Amino acid sequence: MTTAGAGHAEAGQDEKGGIRTALAGLTTRGRSFLAAGVAAAVCSYVLGQSDLLRVGLLLAVLPLVCATVLYRTRYRVAGSRRLSPARVPAGSEARVHLRMDNVSRLPTGLLMLQDRVPYVLGPRPRFVLDRVEAGGRREVSYRVRSDLRGRYPLGPLQLRLTDPFGMCELTRSFSTYDNLTVIPRVEPLAPVRLSGEAKGYGDGRQRSLALAGEDDVIPRGYRYGDDLRRVHWRSTARYGELMVRREEQPQRARCTVLLDTRGIAFQGAGPDAAFEWAVAGAASVLVHMLERGFSVRLLTDTGNAVPGGGGDGFAGASQGSADAAGLMMDTLAVIDHSDGAGLSGAYDVLRGGNEGLLVAFLGDLDEEQAAVVARMRQRSGGAVAFVLDSETWMREPSDVRGPLDGSGERLRMLREAGWTTLGVPRGASLDDLWRQADRERRGVAAAGGGEGP
């Protein structure tokens, strides 16, 4: 359970501050009674009616007494909040459970519970709680939903205390809040074999290592408890003592997902913008490759890698896939446009070694940036690029018959460098493009005379 905090509905200010707070909490009814009482007292003085003075005093004193009693009543109420779930895809609902516990020895009066919620999640929830007995509790819940990814604060909780006559209302706030993380939508992808080269890379060689492993060529001495089936007889005869093969050191195929976040590369905003499609596409590929057993990494145009816990930045082999996916989803939930103008930061990271499969989601590319992306292919076993050209994306789907001259030239440059490149029209399905990329890659491999993966 995620605790939202606990507080006390009790006076904690000096006397002057308490009087001001109590008077400020008078409701319309309380102010009306006070005004009527003062007016009656003035009329009684003018008219010389003592009975009217008593009525005026009663009307004026009642709201003041209610405000004083309510302010000095020391309710001790603890509140907690639980999110189910705390991480939800965009467009889906999450339920927020609130619980109020009366930890004092006195029953409470009528309580109004209110939780602060950002406007994108819906209206601010309000609940009226009847009298809560000493040691009792009340539980309520409400739903929130957002079509925009992000991290949204919920809270703090607020309690509005009122007297039985409705003369005064005071607000008490808790101090803590919780965060609801709205992650990008994840689209299921077909289990195609995009990774690897024609000569046994990716799903061929490294995939087999992930399943079977490779023995270290240097044996070690026998230790008590070692499996006798691992005895290396040739080394035993050579060294004159029992030697065993080292434990298997399984390797896993790698996949890097490159997300272009340059502000100059994308146009438009909102859930249907090209950048949001790219973010959702990157999330879908990351989850898909983790489910297939790959070690994955999220890389942006600035060169920042997520998870980045190890020396190479990949996750999935040394840590749980669920934790790695959660960390990358949290990053994608709040990722925004960068101020960079180029992709050189990502290229500097990729040229450090063999990166396995590279899947890129790119925005507008000029000739210089297209050349940088083309060089990235040299350090990858397989490379797939989804290019979201702004001019193509902004056109109506019925008007998209092919890329414009400028974007078509950029796509040709990437294909000549060995990329499997697809232009993304507005409203396209990533799964359809994923299958199309597999078909195009197989067609290129067959035309080149190589074996498919």
Side-chain angles (χ1 to χ4, degrees), residues 8-25 63-75 161-163 168-172:
H8 303 284
E10 58 184 11
Q13 303 175 351
D14 53 58
E15 190 66 25
K16 292 182 178 179
I19 294 175
R20 288 195 298 267
T21 302
L23 294 178
L64 296 178
V65 171
C66 291
T68 303
V69 172
L70 182 64
Y71 187 81
R72 293 188 174 277
T73 299
R74 298 179 178 269
Y75 294 141
L161 312 177
T162 183
D163 65 280
C168 183
E169 289 183 351
L170 296 180
T171 300
R172 294 290 182 266

Side-chain angles (χ1 to χ4, degrees), residues 143-333:
R143 294 178 295 180
V144 291
R145 178 181 181 274
S146 174
D147 292 327
L148 299 174
R149 58 184 177 83
R151 184 176 290 116
Y152 301 100
L154 300 179
L157 284 170
Q158 288 184 332
L159 275 179
R160 296 178 63 185
L161 312 177
T162 183
D163 65 280
F165 299 101
M167 298 290 179
C168 183
E169 289 183 351
L170 296 180
T171 300
R172 294 290 182 266
S173 296
F174 296 88
S175 58
T176 57
Y177 60 90
D178 293 298
N179 286 317
L180 174 68
T181 303
V182 180
I183 62 176
R185 294 185 180 92
V186 175
E187 182 177 352
L189 301 179
V192 299
R193 301 179 66 183
L194 287 172
S195 62
E197 294 176 338
K199 298 181 179 178
Y201 187 84
D203 279 352
R205 178 175 178 272
Q206 288 199 14
R207 186 65 171 171
S208 64
L209 291 180
L211 297 176
E214 248 184 16
D215 289 337
D216 195 316
V217 296
I218 303 177
R220 61 170 176 82
Y222 175 82
R223 298 171 186 170
Y224 179 78
D226 285 339
D227 191 347
L228 293 179
R229 290 175 296 182
R230 300 191 60 82
V231 173
H232 196 270
W233 297 109
R234 183 178 299 177
S235 299
T236 300
R238 179 180 178 182
Y239 292 102
E241 61 176 318
L242 202 59
M243 306 291 291
V244 297
R245 296 188 299 272
R246 291 182 183 270
E247 297 294 332
E248 294 180 347
Q249 298 178 352
Q251 303 179 27
R252 305 177 76 180
R254 291 179 171 183
C255 175
T256 297
V257 177
L258 172 61
L259 177 61
D260 184 4
T261 63
R262 296 173 299 145
I264 62 175
F266 296 92
Q267 296 181 9
D272 298 327
F275 182 68
E276 295 301 323
W277 192 98
V279 173
S284 301
V285 172
L286 287 169
V287 172
H288 175 73
M289 301 311 289
L290 277 173
E291 291 176 348
R292 293 189 62 189
F294 279 67
S295 295
V296 298
R297 174 178 62 178
L298 172 64
L299 183 66
T300 65
D301 56 289
T302 60
N304 295 326
V306 181
D312 54 5
F314 286 88
S318 59
Q319 66 185 91
S321 296
D323 294 339
L327 179 58
M328 287 182 284
M329 290 300 105
D330 289 344
T331 302
L332 290 175

Side-chain angles (χ1 to χ4, degrees), residues 345-430:
Y347 173 72
D348 292 338
V349 175
L350 292 173
R351 69 179 180 179
N354 201 317
E355 302 299 327
L357 175 64
L358 175 61
V359 181
F361 292 86
L362 307 171
D364 292 336
L365 297 174
D366 55 22
E367 185 174 354
E368 179 183 357
Q369 298 310 315
V372 173
V373 175
R375 292 196 299 270
M376 295 179 184
R377 175 64 178 84
Q378 301 173 1
R379 291 295 184 177
S380 62
V384 182
F386 300 94
V387 182
L388 293 87
D389 175 72
S390 296
E391 295 185 15
T392 304
W393 183 270
M394 297 301 291
R395 286 188 292 176
E396 293 295 331
S398 58
D399 297 335
V400 178
R401 297 181 177 86
L404 300 178
D405 294 339
S407 60
E409 179 64 21
R410 309 294 182 262
L411 298 182
R412 184 187 63 81
M413 290 179 58
L414 298 185
R415 292 191 181 103
E416 290 179 352
W419 283 81
T420 301
T421 309
L422 296 175
V424 181
R426 187 175 63 182
S429 169
L430 177 61

Side-chain angles (χ1 to χ4, degrees), residues 424-437:
V424 181
R426 187 175 63 182
S429 169
L430 177 61
D431 185 53
D432 294 340
L433 296 176
W434 188 253
R435 296 172 185 268
Q436 182 181 347

